[in-house]
Amino acid sequence: MYELISPVNFRLVLKYLGLLLVGIGAVTVVPFTIAFFFVEQTLAMVYGLVGGLIVGTGYALYRFLPEGELQWKEAMVISALVFPVAALISAIPFSLSTGMSFIDAYFEAVSGVTTTGLSVAPPGVGPVFLFARSWLQWIGGIGILIIVLSLLAPAGISASRLFGAAVGERKIRPTVIATSAILFEVYLVITFIAFALLLISGMGPFDAICHAFSAVSTGGFSTRPDSIAAFPGWVIPAAITLGCVLGSVNFEVFTRMARNPLLLFRSLQFRWFLAIALLGSGMLAFTLLGTGGSPGAVIGEAAFQSFSSLTTAGFSTTDIGAYPDSSKAVMSVLMWIGGSMGSTAGGIKILRIIALVSIVHLVFIRFFLPRETVTALKIGATTVSEEQVFALVTFLFLYFIILVVSAISFMLYGYTLVDSLFETSSALGTVGLSVGITGHALAVPLKAILILDMLLGRIEIIPIALLLFPRTWVKRTKS
């Protein structure tokens, strides 16, 4: 599939990366406008200069480099590059506006564009920064590629391959441009719904728009240091939870719900999602019963944190670091699972969990069948090919190898096994919940590990591996 017989066409990669740079630069118009609204002229100038320079550079690359059609390997490389490059660009105004070191600013930008929500920002960063990082999560949730394909990219084979690398090969409209446009429209609609719910719940307009961006992107950045704990009552947490659930549903389902609103509950992924969320809520509540508080309060807190973990949104209503190890373990497992395929959620994804359970079921069923019987692996009405099973097993193996290595790295710095697994699970699942490890004082090597985990969790492992594979860039010489 990746055509590694020859290396990628570097000029072609740069050309289409230039088109994506135009999109990345263009989205800085929004924080540029917000900076003017809050009378932050210097910061507005920074966003204006950065945005203008990036748009100009991107246009020049796309306009003047030679034409050509992207191959799959080049589309995969571009999809792997866009997130670290977007974070690098966003880190410049982050650093200049807060005084953070560039590594901290890059950490914050990666956490934003990957929709993670882990933060090393200092207190009192100001409203423009708070808005900009929530906006970055919203852009990262739908993906720069989808925005560019919706608004800028010409139709053709290259657009199809970029779409396939970013989203998958299945189209819900006749063309990838139309598919990208309808996905973007769905994203806008559920964002508006989340914003309206938060306004009705009592949030101010600024808090509501920032939290709506973070909720539907399942990102988790908040305008308050205490996250959702800063908002009293149960109405706002309920509205946040609903926004996170909307973001963690396969967007294809929404495109067909206009004709049949009950279609959501017929979705296999959504039914599994609800079952896992309810089971996780019950288990988390059980582990929290001995920590004090009324049963009703414990159940409500457990439900919120379970949905926050499973949707990979990462909002919190309490100090997770004070939880018992059993509670952290339950939340870690939920963070591993994640939301639906085709949503903004991270983690392994519900569809892969269904496939894994189906494989285990098939293995046991075959013990009762003649050896010559051919039994196909199916998920619903869809037959899973042998190649897809190999890809699933490879992904799961690499996912947990990365998780174990990352956790051991934290343990070498003196953190406990449970806390190390929780923090790295949060980064790799692009969740953003923390037991208090992540912060400005965290050692730089551990910040680098979390940055890599967040990128691996958002882009997924195979594209990153392809990016680092030498034969992707250099033709192998015969000895």
Side-chain angles (χ1 to χ4, degrees), residues 165-444:
V167 180
E169 297 182 46
R170 182 173 177 178
K171 301 189 292 287
I172 55 179
R173 289 291 185 271
T175 67
V176 295
I177 304 298
T179 299
S180 300
I182 191 65
L183 291 174
F184 192 35
E185 289 170 13
V186 166
Y187 197 53
L188 287 171
V189 169
I190 63 174
T191 302
F192 177 78
I193 291 171
F195 175 65
L197 287 171
L198 291 170
L199 278 180
I200 294 168
S201 301
M203 267 192 184
F206 179 77
D207 287 333
I209 190 63
C210 289
H211 284 92
F213 284 159
S214 298
V216 300
S217 65
T218 59
F221 274 142
S222 176
T223 57
R224 308 294 178 92
D226 297 331
S227 190
I228 307 306
F231 301 96
W234 63 270
V235 178
I236 287 176
I240 286 285
T241 300
L242 184 55
C244 297
V245 171
L246 289 174
S248 63
V249 173
N250 185 339
F251 282 14
E252 183 181 349
V253 176
F254 291 128
T255 64
R256 295 182 280 129
M257 280 179 62
R259 292 189 294 270
N260 184 2
L262 296 178
L263 192 64
L264 178 63
F265 296 96
R266 296 181 184 175
S267 166
L268 183 62
Q269 286 195 80
F270 187 69
R271 295 202 305 271
W272 273 68
F273 170 86
L274 285 182
I276 294 169
L278 293 174
L279 178 62
S281 298
M283 293 177 66
L284 186 58
F286 179 77
T287 64
L288 292 173
L289 284 176
T291 60
S294 65
V298 168
I299 291 171
E301 181 181 319
F304 180 88
Q305 294 304 159
S306 295
F307 274 91
S308 183
S309 300
L310 187 62
T311 62
T312 71
F315 291 109
S316 63
T317 55
T318 187
D319 177 14
I320 305 297
Y323 273 8
D325 285 351
S326 56
S327 301
K328 295 174 186 175
V330 171
M331 294 176 67
S332 293
V333 173
L334 292 173
M335 291 190 291
W336 296 344
I337 295 171
S340 299
M341 196 78 78
S343 71
T344 65
I348 292 171
K349 303 288 195 325
I350 297 287
L351 191 61
R352 289 193 178 106
I353 299 299
I354 297 172
L356 184 61
V357 172
S358 300
I359 291 171
V360 173
H361 177 259
L362 185 61
V363 168
F364 279 97
I365 287 295
R366 286 188 62 85
F367 282 117
F368 301 97
L369 297 174
R371 294 187 64 181
E372 63 273 13
T373 303
V374 177
T375 50
L377 176 64
K378 289 191 173 184
I379 300 176
T382 304
T383 300
V384 180
S385 68
E386 188 177 79
E387 182 182 352
Q388 290 171 318
V389 173
F390 289 153
L392 169 65
V393 173
T394 302
F395 174 84
L396 291 173
F397 175 76
L398 293 175
Y399 191 94
F400 284 106
I401 287 292
I402 292 165
L403 183 63
V404 168
V405 171
S406 299
I408 290 174
S409 300
F410 273 74
M411 292 172 66
L412 292 175
Y413 276 78
Y415 297 107
T416 66
L417 171 61
V418 173
D419 285 355
S420 298
L421 271 175
F422 188 98
E423 210 77 4
T424 51
S425 297
S426 181
L428 190 57
T430 68
V431 183
L433 289 168
S434 176
V435 292
I437 293 175
T438 302
H440 172 71
L442 185 66
V444 170

Side-chain angles (χ1 to χ4, degrees), residues 49-104:
L49 287 173
V50 170
L53 181 62
I54 296 305
V55 169
T57 302
Y59 177 78
L61 288 172
Y62 185 73
R63 175 70 176 80
F64 297 110
L65 285 173
E67 296 286 342
E69 293 291 356
L70 290 174
Q71 302 299 316
W72 275 113
K73 62 191 174 194
E74 286 139 4
M76 293 289 283
V77 164
I78 291 168
S79 74
L81 283 172
V82 65
F83 285 96
V85 169
L88 188 66
I89 294 166
S90 300
I92 298 170
F94 279 7
S95 179
L96 293 175
S97 64
T98 62
M100 287 191 292
S101 65
F102 195 79
I103 182 67
D104 283 2

